[in-house]
């Protein structure tokens, strides 16, 4: 969606910031204002999306999935982790969410382990969101139930409630 000129505002801001920095470092733009304008133009006029299609094709993938994501594999089942009380999401532990995704088959514990390309996690909340009891927090997409209970518990523990931290910049530093 972002590469097609829309998508979530925070993700677009990250893409613009990273793209701006990349163009500056590559010497493509004279400064940050010119670089940001180039990035925005590529996002808005379809060149960024065309570049993604070309990258997918160059790696032997089906570029048609860029325009029709329904062509991607779908998990056979879904489970929802819901809020057990009213509150405000204070934090989401990204590492715990990643470990839960591995348990569902979306990643590897060790090199050589198989990856289930249909498995994964969809976050339904972020820090600062006010939720009511029963509000979906996390969706688990899976094909095998072997480690579902463990993944569900890990995903539930990843979302904490309380006072959210103050907003932080989306890109905090350059390394």
């Amino acid at each position: 969606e972002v590469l097609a000129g829309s998508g979530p505002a925070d993700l677009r801001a990250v893409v613009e910031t990273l793209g701006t920095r990349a163009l500056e470092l590559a010497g493509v733009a004279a400064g940050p204002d010119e670089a940001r304008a180039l990035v925005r133009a590529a996002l808005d006029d379809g060149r960024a999306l065309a570049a993604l299609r070309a990258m997918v094709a160059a790696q032997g993938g089906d570029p048609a999935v860029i325009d029709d994501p329904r062509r991607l594999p779908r998990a056979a089942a879904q489970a929802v982790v819901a809020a057990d009380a009213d509150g405000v999401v204070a934090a989401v532990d990204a590492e715990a969410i990643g470990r839960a995704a591995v348990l569902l088959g979306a990643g590897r514990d060790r090199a050589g382990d198989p990856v289930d390309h249909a498995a994964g996690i969809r976050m339904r909340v972020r820090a600062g969101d006010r939720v009511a009891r029963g509000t979906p927090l996390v969706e688990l997409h899976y094909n095998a139930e072997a480690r579902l209970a463990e993944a569900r518990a890990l995903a539930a523990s990843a979302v904490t409630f309380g006072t959210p931290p103050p907003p932080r910049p989306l890109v905090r530093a350059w390394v």
Side-chain angles (χ1 to χ4, degrees):
E1 291 173 345
V2 170
L3 296 180
S6 61
D10 59 345
L11 181 56
R12 180 167 171 127
V14 169
V15 169
E16 287 182 11
T17 300
L18 298 177
T20 296
R21 181 75 171 161
L23 292 181
E24 286 181 278
L25 291 172
V28 173
D33 292 337
E34 180 184 346
R36 187 167 299 275
L38 291 170
V39 170
R40 286 179 174 164
L43 291 171
D44 293 339
D45 69 16
R47 283 180 289 144
L49 192 62
L52 178 61
R53 280 189 207 99
M55 285 189 283
V56 169
Q59 295 179 43
D62 177 6
V65 301
I66 303 303
D67 300 308
D68 186 8
R70 294 172 299 174
R71 296 170 62 112
L72 292 168
R74 298 268 187 233
Q78 296 178 14
V80 174
V81 175
D84 55 9
D86 297 352
V88 176
V89 177
V92 177
D93 181 346
E95 182 181 353
I97 293 296
R99 289 192 338 256
V102 169
L103 291 170
L104 296 173
R108 297 180 172 102
D109 284 319
R110 289 177 297 286
D113 284 353
V115 173
D116 180 349
H117 297 285
I121 292 180
R122 178 177 179 209
M123 293 303 304
R124 300 292 299 270
V125 295
R126 62 178 68 194
D129 286 354
R130 182 169 298 281
V131 299
R133 180 185 177 133
T135 300
L137 305 172
V138 182
E139 285 178 16
L140 307 173
H141 297 255
Y142 62 96
N143 286 313
E145 289 189 33
R147 298 168 81 183
L148 175 61
E150 189 179 355
R152 180 190 292 270
L154 194 53
S157 73
V159 180
T160 57
F161 294 88
T163 304
R168 296 184 302 204
L170 293 171
V171 177
R172 290 191 247 174
W174 301 108
V175 178

